[in-house]
Amino acid sequence: MPLPLMYRLRQSLPAPWLEDVPGEVERQLRRLELGRIVRPGESVAVTVGSRGIANIAVITRAIVRHFQGLGARPFLVPAMGSHGGGTAEGQRALIESYGVTEEFVGCPIRSSLETVVVAHTRTGVPVHFDRLAFEADHVVVAGRIKPHTRFVGEIESGLHKMMLIGLGKHAGAIVYHQAIHDHTFGEIIRDVADVVLQRCKVVCGVAIVENAVDETALIEAVRPEDFYTREAALLRQAREWLPRLPFRECDLLIIDRIGKDISGTGMDTNVIGRKFNEHEPTSQDDVACRRIFVRGLTDKTHGNATGIGIAEFTNRRTIEAMDYAATRLNCVTAGHPTGAMLPIWYDTDREVVEAALATIGRTPPEQAKVLHITDTLHLTELLASEAYAPAFAGRPDLKVLSGPEPMRFDDAGNLRDVAAP
């Protein structure tokens, strides 16, 4: 089958960034004057999530050092629902893989899936909370603010989600995802968060917003009473800085890797479309990808291939790299069983590309609109087929680095990664 020729492009994306990340953490926390609340010798549970947040180890260490400076005794709590295989050991190993170790951060990690039900919401939903964090004198909720991959609202993914799904552990994640089928996402967020803030000794939040090139752009320490208003405002900012594909329409999107460190759904549906319907673009999506081909998993996802079911195509390597038990557990807990469904797969990438392009309609394969990206967090450099060439002109945000040239397959019939030289 004749295949499209590809250009290598570099696109300019919104990229404000913090030069002194630990210094900004300290400045923000000092602004809250927490020494008036936290006494010497008191314990402080600090959350660490499962997402691949830029500078997460440095940010966490800076939080720990601030509270140590107040004479407190901080410790870390993995806060990630059912991730890490749904085990305490797996969750500890996951944050350690991000560099968040006891040696680097300078305080203990206490990982457990045991929860306490601290109360029920007005609609009868039990509110689960990590027992170790509940027994601490104070809790710091730290997390990245960004658009959620499945839900839409004033609050999506951030501090509130950490209080619900992260600190709710596996038991809480199951309950809240079940409740979302009977109530709106916004109702569950508000009701559960209100209980947590009233009963679980949350002393502050540390909100992180990243730019479009996966760098720390903003850090803000937030008082508990301001969680909702500040998170809503920071979510609006996060949407403006979200990485995006350079073109709205695409016959075939090729993604080198997906993973939980990239997005909750492995690939960010805010970037690729599919937020409102996993298997086809809708009028509500900013992007319309007709077919998606996932080529692999990130190392840091540890085999969790949640979101693989959004793609139509994959290869044997990806199927064999999956930890299907971890993937299944995560997707069932999240009420998202289709996220673990297996796409059509072939032995080689060339077979996948040819099969996918045979399903896009009457467009000749060599004229197809094809985009090839590393993952949905890293979109500065990508490959785009010759069909997009007329759209390059007049785009100051796009620079052609090379091409057009044939797709780069190795002797085994597999594509080379976008990042490969």
Side-chain angles (χ1 to χ4, degrees), residues 1-4 252 254 291-295 312-317 343-360 365 407-416:
M1 177 185 291
L3 298 176
L252 174 62
I254 303 172
R291 297 286 181 258
I292 297 176
F293 165 27
V294 169
R295 298 186 55 242
E312 287 79 28
F313 293 92
T314 190
N315 51 37
R316 178 188 289 275
R317 302 187 310 282
I344 293 173
W345 59 271
Y346 290 84
D347 288 335
T348 71
D349 290 356
R350 182 182 290 276
E351 291 174 285
V352 176
V353 171
E354 292 183 352
L357 293 181
T359 70
I360 64 170
M407 286 187 168
R408 302 188 303 167
F409 293 97
D410 61 21
D411 292 340
N414 296 316
L415 284 165
R416 298 173 67 182

Side-chain angles (χ1 to χ4, degrees), residues 32-51:
L32 299 188
E33 298 182 326
L34 297 172
R36 297 181 178 184
I37 304 170
V38 179
R39 302 303 179 192
E42 290 184 334
S43 58
V44 181
V46 180
T47 68
V48 184
S50 58
R51 300 291 183 261

Side-chain angles (χ1 to χ4, degrees), residues 114-414:
E114 186 178 358
T115 64
V116 294
V117 175
V118 299
H120 289 71
T121 68
R122 59 186 177 84
T123 56
V125 176
V127 177
H128 287 263
F129 200 78
D130 179 278
R131 177 176 290 279
L132 295 172
F134 185 72
E135 292 173 349
D137 295 307
H138 306 281
V139 177
V140 176
V141 180
R144 179 176 57 194
I145 312 293
K146 68 178 299 184
H148 197 281
T149 53
R150 298 181 65 205
F151 304 113
V152 179
E154 287 186 320
I155 299 292
E156 295 187 16
S157 184
L159 302 182
H160 282 72
K161 187 180 175 187
M162 286 294 284
M163 289 191 291
L164 274 70
I165 308 300
L167 286 165
K169 299 294 180 156
H170 189 193
I174 291 174
V175 169
Y176 306 143
H177 282 110
Q178 289 174 342
I180 287 169
H181 292 286
D182 300 318
H183 309 279
T184 68
F185 180 65
E187 287 173 332
I188 298 298
I189 282 279
R190 291 300 294 263
D191 289 351
V192 176
D194 285 348
V195 172
V196 170
L197 291 173
Q198 289 170 14
R199 296 178 177 264
C200 298
K201 297 170 286 188
V202 175
V203 69
C204 72
V206 177
I208 305 160
V209 182
E210 295 180 350
N211 61 27
V213 294
D214 192 29
E215 297 171 335
T216 309
L218 183 155
I219 293 173
E220 182 174 326
V222 185
R223 299 183 191 279
E225 61 268 27
D226 297 330
F227 268 29
Y228 195 92
T229 55
R230 291 310 304 149
E231 182 164 346
L234 292 172
L235 176 61
R236 292 191 291 271
Q237 180 63 79
R239 282 199 182 99
E240 292 182 15
W241 290 341
L242 194 72
R244 301 189 185 279
L245 296 174
F247 309 104
R248 183 183 186 278
E249 295 184 350
C250 176
D251 292 316
L252 174 62
L253 175 65
I254 303 172
I255 306 176
D256 284 337
R257 61 192 188 190
I258 66 170
K260 296 297 292 187
D261 53 318
I262 301 297
S263 172
T265 48
M267 45 186 156
D268 193 336
T269 56
N270 296 285
V271 174
I272 64 169
R274 309 286 179 100
K275 182 166 182 171
F276 303 93
N277 185 325
E278 291 186 344
H279 298 118
E280 62 180 6
T282 72
S283 59
Q284 295 173 280
D285 289 305
D286 294 329
V287 178
C289 296
R290 184 168 294 179
R291 297 286 181 258
I292 297 176
F293 165 27
V294 169
R295 298 186 55 242
L297 306 179
T298 66
D299 292 337
K300 291 181 179 178
T301 200
H302 300 287
N304 187 336
T306 291
I308 189 75
I310 297 173
E312 287 79 28
F313 293 92
T314 190
N315 51 37
R316 178 188 289 275
R317 302 187 310 282
T318 304
I319 296 295
E320 292 178 344
M322 288 178 62
D323 180 337
Y324 195 71
T327 304
R328 180 177 57 204
L329 174 67
N330 192 179
C331 290
V332 170
T333 300
H336 183 205
T338 54
M341 295 175 67
L342 300 183
I344 293 173
W345 59 271
Y346 290 84
D347 288 335
T348 71
D349 290 356
R350 182 182 290 276
E351 291 174 285
V352 176
V353 171
E354 292 183 352
L357 293 181
T359 70
I360 64 170
R362 299 183 63 191
T363 301
E366 67 273 20
Q367 297 176 23
K369 292 181 176 179
V370 179
L371 295 175
H372 183 177
I373 64 175
T374 296
D375 55 54
T376 56
L377 268 183
H378 302 95
L379 295 171
T380 301
E381 197 162 308
L382 70 157
L383 304 176
S385 66
E386 199 171 18
Y388 289 110
F392 297 169
R395 287 282 300 268
D397 60 319
L398 293 179
K399 180 180 180 181
V400 177
L401 300 180
S402 63
E405 60 186 18
M407 286 187 168
R408 302 188 303 167
F409 293 97
D410 61 21
D411 292 340
N414 296 316

